[in-house]
Amino acid sequence: MTHKRILPATRDERGQISDILYKTPFQHAAIIESKRGGLIRGNHYHKNTTQYIFVTRGSLRYWYQPFDKSEPVKSILVSEYDLVTSPPYEVHALEIIEPNQFVVFTDGIRGGEDYESDTFRVAPILTPDMIRR
């Protein structure tokens, strides 16, 4: 997992431009909106796909662990203009803290009929009893 704050690449009197992905290949992009907090998304990993999550509104807690469980489950708070990268074989889950919106970019099969082609469900690393209320 990598996490970084996206800063403006340029700005002037009209506003600013922020590069989310630069010189990074991807095949699919989707916008995901969550209407309320207290939800869980994910609890899966991808064998061939790298996934980038860019939060545009609200926040979420990103939970992650290597597939081989060589490290404990960890989490990080992800806020507006943060980008999180999930590499292949990283189990990840999203704790939706509040209503939010994020864009998911994927380098690999992920959209349309292929949505579940490289998605592998596992024993959850995030369960409802772990959600902070």
Side-chain angles (χ1 to χ4, degrees):
M1 185 276 304
T2 59
H3 171 243
K4 70 177 182 178
R5 170 71 63 172
I6 301 297
L7 300 173
T10 184
R11 84 176 68 206
D12 61 23
E13 68 281 350
R14 298 170 294 173
Q16 65 188 33
I17 297 173
S18 300
D19 296 330
I20 301 168
L21 298 174
Y22 178 66
K23 295 185 179 180
T24 304
F26 69 92
Q27 285 80 42
H28 178 258
I31 296 175
I32 298 176
E33 295 189 45
S34 300
K35 293 185 177 191
R36 62 179 175 81
L39 304 173
I40 296 174
R41 293 183 178 273
N43 274 324
H44 62 247
Y45 73 97
H46 310 286
K47 291 182 179 178
N48 300 301
T49 300
T50 298
Q51 182 172 289
Y52 307 91
I53 298 171
F54 177 67
V55 177
T56 56
R57 186 173 63 236
S59 62
L60 57 87
R61 180 162 292 279
Y62 178 87
W63 295 76
Y64 61 102
Q65 180 181 40
F67 173 74
D68 65 6
K69 299 183 181 180
S70 58
E71 297 179 30
V73 176
K74 299 175 186 172
S75 72
I76 186 168
L77 180 64
V78 184
S79 302
E80 291 179 13
Y81 274 67
D82 283 350
L83 178 71
V84 176
T85 304
S86 304
Y89 287 94
E90 179 177 87
V91 178
H92 51 278
L94 308 178
E95 176 184 347
I96 306 303
I97 297 171
E98 61 184 331
N100 68 20
Q101 180 184 73
F102 53 95
V103 181
V104 179
F105 302 93
T106 53
D107 180 17
I109 298 172
R110 191 67 176 143
E113 294 177 2
D114 294 320
Y115 185 76
E116 295 287 327
S117 297
D118 189 34
T119 299
F120 299 91
R121 310 279 174 208
V122 294
I125 62 169
L126 175 60
T127 58
D129 60 305
M130 297 166 66
I131 292 178
R132 299 173 182 147
R133 295 184 192 260

